Amino acid sequence: MKIGELSKRTGVSIRMLRYYEAEGLLKPRRTASGYRDYDAAEIRTVERIKLLGSGGMTLATIRQFLPCVRGEGPVFEPCDELRTVLHEQIRQADQKAEKLAQSRRILRNFLHEIEQP
Amino acid sequence: MKIGELSKRTGVSIRMLRYYEAEGLLKPRRTASGYRDYDAAEIRTVERIKLLGSGGMTLATIRQFLPCVRGEGPVFEPCDELRTVLHEQIRQADQKAEKLAQSRRILRNFLHEIEQP
DNA sequence: CTTGACTCTGACAGCGCTGTCACAGTTTAA
DNA sequence: TTAAACTGTGACAGCGCTGTCAGAGTCAAG
């Protein structure tokens, strides 16, 4: 699959797909003429990257648990570090969620203030 | 109150307090010599800005409902637009929260995958 | 008066992400 | 074969935020 198709299928721009690669998140084969040739399984990978990214995670961070993202089954070497990173990321996600909730509460209060004068 | 004190009291850097002003969120008096002179009430304002910002809101957006942020009681003119903006922001906050939750779920799944081979 | 801490402005730079443009080569379909 | 659509690379720019640095003025305490 060429980059245009992957882009259409995932909703991630061609620009960003190339950027993912530059950041080490994707490593597509190349055709004889140099075109990127993606495995169909990478659709899933890209979607996961997209989701994690929309949760406020950095590409550099996502790369840390790339084996998981790519669904490469059980991980060997960096298993412990991986677990640590994952726990830390979950913790940060919880923190972000809390901040977001606080922020939302403030907005709701504003709304009440201007609706009941 | 001068900028250094406000910074210490709020935990917002001097740099950012000046930036808030440049973005139209704060308008401190000036001493004869040009020093910024903040009202004590602005501590609250800055804290709210900080919270909204940590919820992913842009300063330009926060400026939209500045009267609320500054707690200036009932708002007159832009009341309807303000309500619209607030509802929209709450909606976006909910969206972000949903994305964040999805992202968190993915992380938890990764964790399960590598913990049970 | 002098010194050290504080403040002012303005500029530059970096972060991570994203779009766009230019220029060149490739593929596909008419 | 030719034209349109696609892909490649590299560079530049912008977003919003943030730190830092330089050069100058101000303030408070010794």
Side-chain angles (χ1 to χ4, degrees):
Chain A
M1 178 180 5
K2 286 186 288 185
I3 199 169
E5 190 182 344
L6 182 58
S7 172
K8 267 167 202 147
R9 283 190 198 252
T10 58
V12 173
S13 73
I14 291 177
R15 176 69 176 85
M16 287 312 293
L17 289 176
R18 294 204 263 243
Y19 186 59
Y20 285 0
E21 183 174 351
E23 293 296 300
L25 301 182
L26 294 176
K27 302 198 198 313
R29 272 170 275 106
R30 296 293 186 125
T31 69
S33 57
Y35 283 18
R36 272 163 262 253
D37 184 18
Y38 295 93
D39 199 299
E42 299 305 316
I43 294 177
R44 192 159 192 269
T45 306
V46 171
E47 275 164 355
R48 282 172 158 192
I49 293 174
K50 200 168 95 174
L51 266 175
L52 291 173
S54 74
M57 203 163 305
T58 272
L59 292 190
T61 303
I62 297 174
R63 192 183 46 225
Q64 291 192 286
F65 32 86
L66 199 53
C68 293
V69 177
R70 306 189 54 211
E72 285 176 344
V75 184
F76 315 106
E77 295 298 347
C79 203
D80 276 6
E81 301 95 286
L82 205 43
R83 281 184 42 184
T84 309
V85 174
L86 277 167
H87 275 115
E88 172 61 13
Q89 286 302 314
I90 290 173
R91 204 187 55 75
Q92 285 184 23
D94 289 341
Q95 239 177 254
K96 265 180 206 160
E98 177 51 35
K99 287 288 188 186
L100 196 52
Q102 269 185 279
S103 180
R104 206 203 112 114
R105 256 175 256 136
I106 292 183
L107 292 175
R108 285 221 63 90
N109 286 345
F110 288 168
L111 209 47
H112 287 163
E113 282 172 25
I114 72 174
E115 274 178 345
Q116 300 169 5
Chain B
M1 174 177 13
K2 286 187 289 186
I3 200 169
E5 190 181 344
L6 182 57
S7 173
K8 268 167 201 146
R9 283 190 198 253
T10 60
V12 174
S13 74
I14 290 177
R15 176 69 177 85
M16 287 311 293
L17 289 176
R18 295 204 262 244
Y19 186 60
Y20 286 180
E21 183 175 351
E23 293 296 300
L25 300 182
L26 294 176
K27 303 201 199 311
R29 270 171 275 107
R30 296 295 184 124
T31 69
S33 57
Y35 282 19
R36 271 163 264 253
D37 185 17
Y38 296 93
D39 199 299
E42 299 306 316
I43 294 176
R44 191 158 193 271
T45 304
V46 172
E47 275 165 355
R48 282 173 157 191
I49 294 173
K50 201 168 96 175
L51 267 175
L52 291 172
S54 74
M57 202 164 305
T58 270
L59 292 189
T61 303
I62 297 175
R63 191 183 47 223
Q64 291 191 286
F65 32 85
L66 199 54
C68 294
V69 177
R70 306 189 55 211
E72 286 176 345
V75 183
F76 315 107
E77 296 298 347
C79 204
D80 276 6
E81 300 95 287
L82 206 43
R83 282 184 41 184
T84 308
V85 174
L86 277 167
H87 274 116
E88 171 61 14
Q89 286 302 314
I90 290 173
R91 204 188 54 76
Q92 285 186 23
D94 289 341
Q95 238 177 254
K96 266 182 205 158
E98 178 50 34
K99 288 288 187 186
L100 196 52
Q102 269 185 279
S103 179
R104 207 203 113 114
R105 258 174 254 134
I106 293 184
L107 292 175
R108 286 221 61 91
N109 286 345
F110 288 169
L111 209 46
H112 288 164
E113 281 173 25
I114 72 175
E115 274 176 347
Q116 300 168 5

